[in-house]
Amino acid sequence: MVIHNVEQRSSEWYKLRLGKVGGSEADGLMTPAKMKTLINKKLAEIITGEAEEVFVNEAMRYGIETEGEAAREYGISNMCEPKEVGYVTNVDYPMFGLSPDRIVSNTIAVEIKCPTPKSFVQYVIDGKPCINKVKSIPKKYLAQCSMYFLMMPKIEELDFVVYNDNIKSANRMYQTRVSRNDMEMEIEKLKAASVVFEKKMKESLIILKSL
């Protein structure tokens, strides 16, 4: 594992990510149809040297702008100092990369979501009654959370944090901690998907190079 000390969303960060599957894209590995789309996207990045332009809507912009505030709130609540990390690569998964939201220690990381109030309410209501901690995390984010454990072998626990500063109560932050053991099944699913993805990518690159 290598931690690259670059600023997220800097030119160096974009260069490191080119052609690699990031955490936010990991759900695209979970079905054949999604994987096909993701493969085409990554192949296009490799042969053009440019990433596909992503439209940033208001909800996405709010999430980006509010992440730092959410991290501070998390730090106060958990009496710790979460640190920013630029980008993580791992020689065992050369086609993958991860931009952690925050790292608390060598063994604890943090994934932060700053959704709209409507989604915040949904995440909390759906997650709170769950005895199974993994089910407290929205399904669409399970692969992204699994990426932390896959790419960072020393990480043993991940805090999934949901935050919205428009919530008019003290409960504007909702937090679920999952362990590597909790996520074992999801991690294995991601590992299996990564093998298929890498095989298909290599096969496709051979075809493209022969043209």
Side-chain angles (χ1 to χ4, degrees):
M1 182 195 81
V2 179
I3 294 179
H4 303 267
N5 293 315
V6 298
E7 185 179 346
Q8 292 193 15
R9 297 181 181 83
S10 65
S11 58
E12 293 86 356
W13 181 76
Y14 281 112
K15 186 176 181 179
L16 283 167
R17 294 173 73 246
L18 203 65
K20 289 183 170 60
V21 176
S24 61
E25 299 171 310
D27 187 59
L29 299 164
M30 294 297 103
T31 69
K34 287 181 180 180
M35 185 182 288
K36 183 177 180 179
T37 299
L38 186 57
I39 287 171
N40 290 339
K41 177 182 177 181
K42 295 304 159 183
L43 287 171
E45 289 182 4
I46 290 169
I47 64 174
T48 64
E50 296 180 1
E52 182 180 67
E53 187 174 352
V54 177
F55 173 72
V56 178
N57 59 31
E58 286 303 314
M60 294 168 64
R61 185 174 291 106
Y62 171 79
I64 293 169
E65 293 174 351
T66 313
E67 181 184 302
E69 181 179 330
R72 287 190 292 275
E73 187 93 0
Y74 168 87
I76 293 169
S77 178
N78 291 274
M79 293 182 291
C80 65
E81 295 184 12
K83 299 177 181 178
E84 292 187 61
V85 174
Y87 195 69
V88 175
T89 55
N90 188 317
V91 68
D92 292 328
Y93 303 96
M95 294 185 181
F96 288 15
L98 179 68
S99 301
D101 284 340
R102 294 295 187 277
I103 300 295
V104 176
S105 67
N106 288 336
T107 60
I108 302 174
V110 187
E111 173 62 26
I112 299 171
K113 298 297 178 188
C114 300
T116 62
K118 178 181 175 181
S119 293
F120 177 93
V121 168
Q122 178 186 336
Y123 295 167
V124 173
I125 291 176
D126 289 350
K128 274 289 188 181
C130 295
I131 296 174
N132 184 335
K133 292 181 180 179
V134 176
K135 289 184 178 180
S136 296
I137 299 173
K139 187 177 180 180
K140 63 182 178 180
Y141 297 130
L142 285 175
Q144 183 175 13
C145 291
S146 298
M147 281 280 277
Y148 281 83
F149 297 104
L150 194 71
M151 298 296 291
M152 306 179 75
K154 291 183 179 180
I155 292 297
E156 292 297 331
E157 295 178 307
L158 175 73
D159 283 332
F160 181 79
V161 174
V162 181
Y163 178 85
N164 187 291
D165 63 355
N166 292 307
I167 305 299
K168 305 302 181 183
S169 73
N171 299 318
R172 56 181 178 265
M173 187 183 78
Y174 168 55
Q175 173 183 331
T176 299
R177 176 167 290 190
V178 290
S179 70
R180 183 176 289 272
N181 287 338
D182 293 333
M183 294 288 288
E184 184 177 5
M185 186 178 296
E186 299 301 326
I187 297 167
E188 290 304 315
K189 287 180 185 177
L190 186 60
K191 282 183 181 179
S194 75
V195 173
V196 176
F197 176 83
E198 290 190 18
K199 180 176 182 292
K200 289 182 179 293
M201 281 288 289
K202 289 175 181 176
E203 291 171 347
S204 299
L205 283 169
I206 291 171
I207 293 172
L208 287 171
K209 287 178 180 178
S210 68
L211 295 177

